[in-house]
Amino acid sequence: MLEPEMLRRGLLAWVSRVGGVLVLLCCSLSLLYVMTCSPPHSDDTPMSHALPRAEQKHGNAGGTRPGVRTGTGGLGRQEQSLLRAAKQIAQLKEALQERCQQLKGVQESLKKGLTEGQDSGTRSHAGGGEGAKSQQTDIQEFLKGQLSKAEVSSGSRFPSEYAVVPFESFTLQRVYQLEMGLTRHPEEKPVRRDKRDDLVEVLELALQSLNTPSSQQDAKAQNSKVYTPSDFMEGITRTEKDKGTLYELTFRGEAAHEFRRLVLFRPFGPLMKVKNERVDTANAPINIIVPLSRRTDKFKQFMHNFREVCVRQDGRVHLTVVYFGNDQINEVRSILENTSREANFKNYTLLQLNEEFSRGRGLDFGARAWKGGNVLLFFCDVDIYFTADFLNTCRLNTQPGKKVFYPVLFSQYNPALIYGSAEHVPPVEQQLVIKKDTGFWRDFGFGMTCQYRSDFINIGGFDIDIKGWGGEDVHLYRKYLHSNLLVVRAPSRGLFHLWHEKHCADELPPDQYRMCMQSKAMNEASHGQLGMLFFRQEIEAHLRKQNQQQSPKKS
């Protein structure tokens, strides 16, 4: 008998607590309504008069709560305000329901036809009358307005690099994200469910669009290729919080250098198809410009990657090396000649500047020295590793007079710390793994970029007054942000910054030396790995203690 009685009492106590929470919640909502919806002439009326009335209204139905005023004197204005607020809320709910029904109608009509002509015809039949047609037209105009305001076809002018909304890149299995913190990873796999469902919907609509011919010419092309998810190469997406979400998806085409690109936009409503185009990169050579001063060992490693990717796999690349000074110039020339002879590669230029090293000066000099027309430029450093897929991404994300590409590269941590010691470090090709403990997205760097020579010349090129290493890349990046060109800023899974030791000069003042050491630490290892190094003595002491405790037991 005790157990049912205890259960009943526990249930009553739980109900009373829940009731108390609901009363407090209702009181808070009532106070919020009065504060926001009271007319100006009642501002001087104390809020304490409205709160008890709201509590009385939402209180226990069994009777009047103690201490609550039940009179009506002086409360007429507050009651009127509450009634007006309730009426406005009811009207807003009704309008919201109506808008939801309209959006459903638009979404259904958009699904029935992908082209604009099919969309408009479907909406005419689905409207069910002039009123419905008018309402759907209003929503359609709103969605198109969101599209026109978003940074889709042309660039927006930004005050600084911090105002840019970067893209995320994704494949069928992974999403590459910049916003990491201490818990998220540079690549997301498996992709969380809400994002996966969103990208699956986008991919399905893209495939439907590719396999649905919209003209007789497309119908002929349709007979030769049916697009499947295996043709999907890579996509980029970003959300502008006040406009919507943009998606760009790239598929392999029929020919080796042909691609299909689809642009979709979700203006916080149904997906809209913006563009479906063929892109042919067969006649899009890339001039890779590398400024260099000494560092011949790094240049040998760079040329090994260049020979494999640019010569053997891609074959549409020109290399321009701008060398500063005379020291080791013969070694650099010998490396280039050996590559030319062994790989039958002639598309390179060696330029020499007898002056103090300046990265911006070298890149600017190399870009202006090109006389072969409007070529795609890739500004690169000697400690960069890239893949053949990146070269295609470079071509696909640039367009003369319209957009430039600023990829975010993956910066490698110290391999000796990642793999335990220098003796266990694998070859470079096996180190190119995008994980939290192997590196990070170098989102503060803007040195590696793809842009057409005409855009570079028109924007004014680099600031050649900047000496040494650093600063010139941000200056050029800001000039593009202040123009009407679209700046594509996205993580690139095929572009890596190889680790090299950072030296902090003794002649630096204390504050700059401290900043240099902080930068060095950030490039050495992850947060967790640095923590293990910091607490190494405690970890080793704990291990020795555990071994000592286990030794007597074994004996």
Side-chain angles (χ1 to χ4, degrees):
M1 296 296 293
L2 290 176
E3 290 183 358
E5 180 66 16
M6 293 176 63
L7 181 61
R8 185 179 65 84
R9 291 181 180 178
L11 183 60
L12 289 176
W14 179 80
V15 170
S16 62
R17 284 195 295 269
V18 172
V21 172
L22 291 176
V23 168
L24 290 176
L25 180 59
C26 293
C27 293
S28 302
L29 291 174
S30 300
L31 177 60
L32 179 61
Y33 290 155
V34 171
M35 293 176 63
T36 57
C37 301
S38 296
H41 60 270
S42 62
D43 288 345
D44 296 335
T45 304
M47 277 295 154
S48 59
H49 294 298
L51 181 58
R53 177 60 89 182
E55 291 178 340
Q56 179 183 352
K57 183 178 179 180
H58 297 280
N60 193 340
T64 304
R65 296 179 56 188
V68 178
R69 294 178 58 188
T70 57
T72 58
L75 296 180
R77 294 179 178 176
Q78 280 71 28
E79 290 178 342
Q80 293 176 4
S81 299
L82 290 175
L83 290 174
R84 281 195 295 269
K87 185 176 180 181
Q88 291 175 355
I89 292 173
Q91 292 174 347
L92 288 173
K93 286 182 178 179
E94 184 179 352
L96 181 60
Q97 291 177 354
E98 183 180 354
R99 287 293 184 180
C100 289
Q101 293 298 327
Q102 294 172 3
L103 269 177
K104 286 183 179 179
V106 174
Q107 190 169 13
E108 291 175 358
S109 63
L110 286 175
K111 287 181 179 179
K112 291 179 181 178
L114 291 174
T115 62
E116 292 186 1
Q118 290 173 329
D119 289 343
S120 60
T122 307
R123 279 191 293 270
S124 298
H125 292 290
E130 293 299 328
K133 290 180 181 179
S134 177
Q135 292 173 349
Q136 292 187 1
T137 301
D138 291 343
I139 295 181
Q140 182 184 3
E141 292 301 322
F142 168 76
L143 298 179
K144 288 184 177 180
Q146 291 291 96
L147 174 62
S148 64
K149 291 186 292 184
E151 195 180 13
V152 177
S153 300
S154 61
S156 301
R157 298 191 177 191
F158 295 98
S160 69
E161 62 271 23
Y162 304 106
V164 177
V165 179
F167 287 88
E168 289 183 346
S169 58
F170 61 94
T171 61
L172 288 177
Q173 302 295 334
R174 293 175 173 84
V175 172
Y176 301 90
Q177 55 197 8
L178 295 180
E179 297 181 2
M180 288 176 51
L182 294 178
T183 57
R184 300 181 70 186
H185 292 258
E187 70 167 10
E188 185 179 347
K189 182 190 178 183
V191 183
R192 69 176 190 260
R193 184 173 180 178
D194 59 334
K195 186 182 294 184
R196 182 180 71 247
D197 293 344
D198 178 56
L199 296 180
V200 167
E201 180 187 1
V202 170
L203 182 62
E204 289 177 350
L205 179 59
L207 289 172
Q208 181 183 0
S209 178
L210 288 173
N211 294 319
T212 304
S214 58
S215 64
Q216 186 175 1
Q217 182 178 1
D218 291 339
K220 294 179 180 179
Q222 176 67 22
N223 296 330
S224 57
K225 182 175 179 62
V226 176
Y227 289 88
T228 65
S230 61
D231 296 314
F232 175 64
M233 294 175 52
E234 188 179 31
I236 57 175
T237 177
R238 70 173 174 186
T239 299
E240 297 182 67
K241 295 182 179 180
D242 59 337
K243 301 177 182 69
T245 303
L246 173 68
Y247 308 89
E248 289 190 16
L249 295 87
T250 303
F251 295 81
R252 295 180 183 88
E254 298 182 19
H257 305 306
E258 183 182 283
F259 304 89
R260 292 291 295 270
R261 176 166 55 203
L262 284 91
V263 180
L264 305 173
F265 185 68
R266 188 195 299 277
F268 303 118
L271 275 169
M272 302 173 62
K273 188 185 72 172
V274 180
K275 189 182 298 183
N276 180 353
E277 60 183 358
R278 288 183 172 84
V279 181
D280 189 355
T281 62
N283 297 319
I286 301 177
N287 183 13
I288 301 179
I289 304 178
V290 180
L292 187 63
S293 177
R294 296 184 291 273
R295 305 184 71 186
T296 54
D297 55 338
K298 290 292 183 182
F299 186 64
K300 288 181 181 178
Q301 187 179 48
F302 174 85
M303 289 304 299
H304 176 75
N305 173 41
F306 182 89
R307 180 189 308 180
E308 179 64 28
V309 173
C310 299
V311 179
R312 295 178 179 174
Q313 297 183 35
D314 191 89
R316 294 164 293 155
V317 174
H318 185 96
L319 176 63
T320 300
V321 179
V322 182
Y323 194 85
F324 287 81
N326 296 311
D327 190 20
Q328 300 183 6
I329 180 66
N330 292 329
E331 297 181 41
V332 172
R333 183 178 289 108
S334 176
I335 294 172
L336 288 171
E337 291 175 351
N338 289 338
T339 302
S340 175
R341 181 173 56 256
E342 295 172 1
N344 192 24
F345 177 71
K346 307 295 183 182
N347 297 327
Y348 74 91
T349 303
L350 177 61
L351 304 174
Q352 186 177 6
L353 291 175
N354 292 319
E355 54 188 74
E356 180 185 357
F357 177 82
S358 170
R359 183 178 185 274
R361 163 70 170 151
L363 294 173
D364 195 274
F365 185 76
R368 297 180 186 276
W370 176 265
K371 305 300 181 184
N374 191 21
V375 68
L376 177 58
L377 305 175
F378 172 39
F379 297 141
C380 188
D381 291 338
V382 72
D383 49 14
I384 297 299
Y385 189 101
F386 52 87
T387 65
D389 287 338
F390 168 75
L391 296 178
N392 283 327
T393 304
C394 180
R395 295 182 176 100
L396 292 170
N397 285 313
T398 51
Q399 190 173 355
K402 293 197 174 181
K403 60 181 179 179
V404 295
F405 183 40
Y406 272 84
V408 181
L409 51 81
F410 192 75
S411 190
Q412 184 187 46
Y413 287 138
N414 187 346
L417 295 179
I418 296 174
Y419 300 100
S421 65
E423 291 77 15
H424 297 90
V425 175
V428 173
E429 291 78 8
Q430 299 179 20
Q431 300 176 30
L432 307 179
V433 180
I434 300 177
K435 289 185 178 180
K436 191 172 185 178
D437 290 333
T438 61
F440 63 98
W441 292 115
R442 205 178 186 88
D443 58 349
F444 55 84
F446 306 95
M448 277 21 83
T449 172
C450 299
Q451 54 197 261
Y452 274 87
R453 184 178 181 274
S454 58
D455 295 327
F456 177 78
I457 298 299
N458 293 334
I459 207 71
F462 283 104
D463 184 357
I464 59 177
D465 294 330
I466 300 176
K467 303 299 181 183
W469 198 281
E472 79 292 329
D473 51 354
V474 180
H475 185 268
L476 178 65
Y477 181 66
R478 287 172 179 166
K479 289 200 289 186
Y480 278 118
L481 295 181
H482 297 160
S483 71
N484 292 324
L485 272 71
L486 179 64
V487 178
V488 179
R489 178 78 167 156
S492 177
R493 57 192 173 94
L495 188 63
F496 297 85
H497 179 270
L498 301 180
W499 181 87
H500 58 84
E501 187 174 359
K502 185 177 181 66
H503 298 280
C504 297
D506 293 335
E507 57 269 17
L508 289 174
D511 56 341
Q512 291 187 5
Y513 188 83
R514 184 168 56 253
M515 292 175 60
C516 181
M517 293 299 294
Q518 290 174 349
S519 176
K520 181 176 181 178
M522 185 176 63
N523 288 272
E524 284 290 318
S526 66
H527 184 272
Q529 291 167 326
L530 290 176
M532 295 294 289
L533 292 174
F534 184 80
F535 295 111
R536 174 182 291 178
Q537 294 182 356
E538 296 182 29
I539 296 173
E540 293 176 351
H542 178 267
L543 182 61
R544 288 193 300 268
K545 185 177 180 180
Q546 291 290 319
N547 292 334
Q548 291 174 359
Q549 291 177 353
Q550 293 176 3
S551 297
K553 295 181 180 179
K554 293 180 180 180
S555 61

